[in-house]
Amino acid sequence: MQILTLGNELLRQKALPVKAIGPEYLKIAEELVNALHEGDGIGLAGPQIGIMERIFAIHVAGDTARVFINPSIIETSQETCKFEEGCLSVPGVYTDVVRPEAVKIQAWNEKGRAFTMEASGIVARVIQHEYDHLEGILFIDRISELKKNRILAKIAAKSEKAAAKQQD
Ligand code: ZN
């Protein structure tokens, strides 16, 4: 399973709501969780593997893998916190992002069962990061313009170097 990276148009598109959670979503969820494990990440959203639907999976250490379909974040804490984030679609980049400390989310799992979950700390963090992917938003959109430009310039320089190496 290939994980799409920065520059791919699909990462910038809004994912569509899932109309009905049929048995095929067991397989889609499994693919998502497998790709998440292969990439050694803690969260992965549909668009990152080219599935333009509102589905993401998270797997935080000490918990089981969880799948969220058609999620809505129904509450966020006023309290925010800063935490270093990375993304399988933006390899090699880690930067502090400020987000609400806690969230309440409503979603359906891969079996079509509705659930509501309150999360804080790392789980709240990864939920917000993955939810953003469904909106076409990346974590580097949530930092200062200056910092973002610096990161993009670094990525561009790196890929230029790689391209030059390939030509040699
Ligand atoms: Zn990500």
Side-chain angles (χ1 to χ4, degrees):
M1 184 71 58
Q2 212 204 332
I3 294 175
L4 308 180
T5 54
L6 189 68
N8 191 298
E9 271 298 295
L10 292 179
L11 292 174
R12 292 313 197 168
Q13 284 175 23
K14 237 174 138 158
L16 297 169
V18 173
K19 285 204 184 102
I21 305 168
E24 69 274 23
Y25 280 88
L26 289 173
K27 197 167 171 283
I28 293 172
E30 197 184 305
E31 276 173 11
L32 203 53
V33 171
N34 284 344
L36 170 63
H37 289 158
E38 265 172 48
D40 205 18
I42 57 171
L44 192 70
Q48 291 180 276
I49 54 170
I51 295 170
M52 298 312 292
E53 293 185 87
R54 301 186 78 81
I55 178 169
F56 66 75
I58 70 169
H59 194 178
V60 174
D63 196 5
T64 52
R66 294 172 188 271
V67 173
F68 298 73
I69 297 174
N70 290 346
S72 22
I73 293 177
I74 49 182
E75 246 178 79
T76 53
S77 64
Q78 289 214 316
E79 223 176 286
T80 58
C81 65
K82 203 195 262 180
F83 196 86
E84 187 178 69
E85 292 187 25
C87 179
L88 292 173
S89 294
V90 192
V93 173
Y94 299 90
T95 189
D96 282 342
V97 182
V98 176
R99 296 186 192 265
E101 208 274 324
V103 295
K104 191 170 176 183
I105 186 167
Q106 196 271 316
W108 283 261
N109 70 11
E110 68 277 27
K111 292 170 189 145
R113 185 172 300 159
F115 66 95
T116 304
M117 187 179 160
E118 282 181 58
S120 60
I122 183 82
V123 178
R125 177 61 55 159
V126 63
I127 283 173
Q128 293 175 80
H129 177 117
E130 298 316 321
Y131 185 87
D132 271 355
H133 275 299
L134 305 182
E135 297 292 306
I137 298 168
L138 298 174
F139 74 120
I140 52 169
D141 301 335
R142 297 213 178 265
I143 58 177
S144 76
E145 197 74 12
L146 185 75
K147 227 168 149 190
K148 182 182 175 178
N149 287 339
R150 215 177 283 155
I151 286 171
L152 292 178
K154 225 183 251 177
I155 293 172
K158 220 194 258 173
S159 61
E160 250 170 56
K161 227 187 217 172
K165 220 177 201 175
Q166 254 174 7
Q167 279 176 357
D168 283 347

